[in-house]
Amino acid sequence: MRILVINGPNLNMLGIREKNIYGNETYNDLIDLIEKTSIENNIDIEVYQSNHEGDIVDKIQDSYFNKTDGIVINPAAYTHTSVAILDALKAVNIPTVEVHISDVSKREDFRKISYVRSACAKTIIGKGLYGYIEAILFLTNKL
Ligand code: DQA
């Protein structure tokens, strides 16, 4: 089974940015955690991060052609703005879980809007880095 984890803008700054919201763990800690899960569960997992909307669209399109079984996506700020990412997810029609480290339902109003949500089988918010693991295990059980 092949799973693609996509992280949007500023998530490479985990451990540096707004630690009171996103915690002390770094982006490398996230990669290590996902790698451990991939080994324990024998899943092929690629982790990708970009600060650029079009690159994320390209990566989602690639996942169709390389036969990815499931996508975990934290589009970060693009969650609240990007019709292009929504359309790409709809185009590839691969089971997808939306993840947010923080509880976006309890923050500014603009963070309560998610363009990608309608293309996702599940949304996990406010569980920190563990949300990614829950998303991967959800896809593993579903697929
Ligand atoms: C985020 C929440 C978004 O509102 C924000 O723009 C992010 C991270 C989260 O993981 O909690 O960059 O997606």
Side-chain angles (χ1 to χ4, degrees):
M1 178 184 308
R2 179 197 283 265
I3 290 179
L4 171 65
V5 178
I6 301 176
N7 282 301
N10 300 305
L11 288 167
N12 55 315
M13 299 292 277
L14 285 176
I16 299 168
R17 71 183 293 212
E18 300 176 280
K19 292 184 193 178
N20 55 323
I21 296 173
Y22 300 111
N24 292 317
E25 287 166 300
T26 65
Y27 187 67
N28 279 338
D29 291 336
L30 175 62
I31 292 174
D32 289 347
L33 186 65
I34 293 173
E35 198 172 318
K36 192 166 158 265
T37 306
S38 89
I39 293 165
E40 280 170 6
N41 295 277
N42 197 25
I43 319 164
D44 176 5
I45 306 178
E46 180 188 358
V47 187
Y48 174 80
Q49 191 277 330
S50 175
N51 294 323
H52 306 281
E53 185 175 21
D55 289 346
I56 294 171
V57 169
D58 287 344
K59 194 70 187 173
I60 293 168
Q61 290 183 6
D62 287 348
S63 69
Y64 175 83
F65 295 104
N66 66 26
K67 310 229 179 306
T68 296
D69 299 298
I71 298 174
V72 174
I73 187 164
N74 182 348
Y78 289 139
T79 308
H80 320 299
T81 63
S82 181
V83 177
I85 292 176
L86 167 65
D87 284 350
L89 290 172
K90 283 185 167 170
V92 300
N93 196 26
I94 293 170
T96 299
V97 179
E98 174 191 8
V99 172
H100 298 286
I101 295 166
S102 66
D103 185 349
V104 281
S105 72
K106 298 203 172 114
R107 297 179 63 193
E108 301 96 321
D109 281 348
F110 65 84
R111 293 187 205 274
K112 294 178 183 143
I113 297 160
S114 169
Y115 281 81
V116 301
R117 195 154 301 166
S118 65
C120 295
K122 187 177 169 75
T123 298
I124 298 169
I125 60 170
K127 295 193 171 172
L129 302 190
Y130 182 74
Y132 290 85
I133 306 308
E134 195 178 312
I136 290 164
L137 297 178
F138 171 83
L139 287 171
T140 309
N141 291 331
K142 186 180 156 67
L143 297 169

